[in-house]
Each structure stands twice: as C-alpha cells, then as structure tokens.
Amino acid sequence: MRRSVLLVPTAGGGLWSARSGGVRWICGFTDETALARFALHHAPGDRPMDYAALLGARIVDEVVPSLDEPAGLAVDIATEDGSMFFPPVLGVVPDGSAVDADVDSDSDETGKGRGHGR
C-alpha cells in the first residue's frame, strides 16, 4: 500500500473522506475503474469526479497526521470483496497519530511515539 499510487477523490479543495466508527477515512482507489464505481454513487450529478494521485505512504504519513483526529485509509470501498482498510493504529500511521499508542509517560521517558489518547 505504501508504494502504491492511489486515486483520491477531491471535494471542496480537500480530499474526500467519510466518517465511520469514530474514524475519518480517506478514500483511495487503486485504478480509474475502482474510482468510477465509487463515482457512480457519490459524484455530483453527471459531472466527472476530480481526484489527486498520491502515494499510499504520503496519505498515511502526511495527510492522516495533519487531520488532528483519528483517521485511516480506506482503499477501493466500492469494490465488492476488494476493500482494504488501514486503521489509525501503530504500524500503519505515525505513532503520534495512532489511537493505540502508549500514552503512559512512564513507558517512554523521551515522550516520543506517544498517541493523542483518542
């Protein structure tokens, strides 16, 4: 996922996202066919859907931390039996954005890698 180029719909000057289960999900698609399936249900009218092409790594390493709320990456959500979800947990997003990061200051004297306690 990190080295894959994902097509992320844009709306209102930002990336399209959805909230579910207390998490903001950035929605990315592996190709134009997968994006088109999504656009059939979410594009405004019959207008084409604008999108940005971003590396998966950029989404989880830069975009997710900038949102200042629990956020993850949902890939190909309109593809039956092909959806993938990368939640805001250690090993997926930067430690400071992970909801399961240790927030106990006794466990890490430097304070590095502690989550937001969300």
Side-chain angles (χ1 to χ4, degrees):
M1 173 274 304
R2 295 184 63 76
R3 293 183 182 172
S4 298
V5 174
L6 298 173
L7 308 180
V8 182
T10 57
L15 301 177
W16 198 93
S17 64
R19 284 186 177 81
S20 179
V23 174
R24 182 172 175 182
W25 296 96
I26 303 299
C27 300
F29 300 89
T30 54
D31 57 36
E32 289 182 346
T33 302
L35 176 61
R37 279 190 292 274
F38 173 80
L40 284 174
H41 300 286
H42 297 285
D46 58 354
R47 293 180 32 220
M49 183 171 268
D50 293 329
Y51 63 89
L54 301 169
L55 282 175
R58 183 166 183 205
I59 297 169
V60 296
D61 293 344
E62 295 176 28
V63 175
V64 164
S66 75
L67 297 175
D68 201 32
E69 66 180 298
L73 173 61
V75 178
D76 289 345
I77 61 172
T79 302
E80 189 173 325
D81 298 327
S83 300
M84 297 172 280
F85 293 86
F86 300 92
V89 296
L90 291 170
V92 175
V93 299
D95 292 356
S97 298
V99 296
D100 62 339
D102 183 11
V103 295
D104 181 10
S105 61
D106 292 336
S107 65
D108 186 351
E109 293 177 21
T110 65
K112 292 176 114 179
R114 290 188 287 158
H116 296 288
R118 293 179 263 190

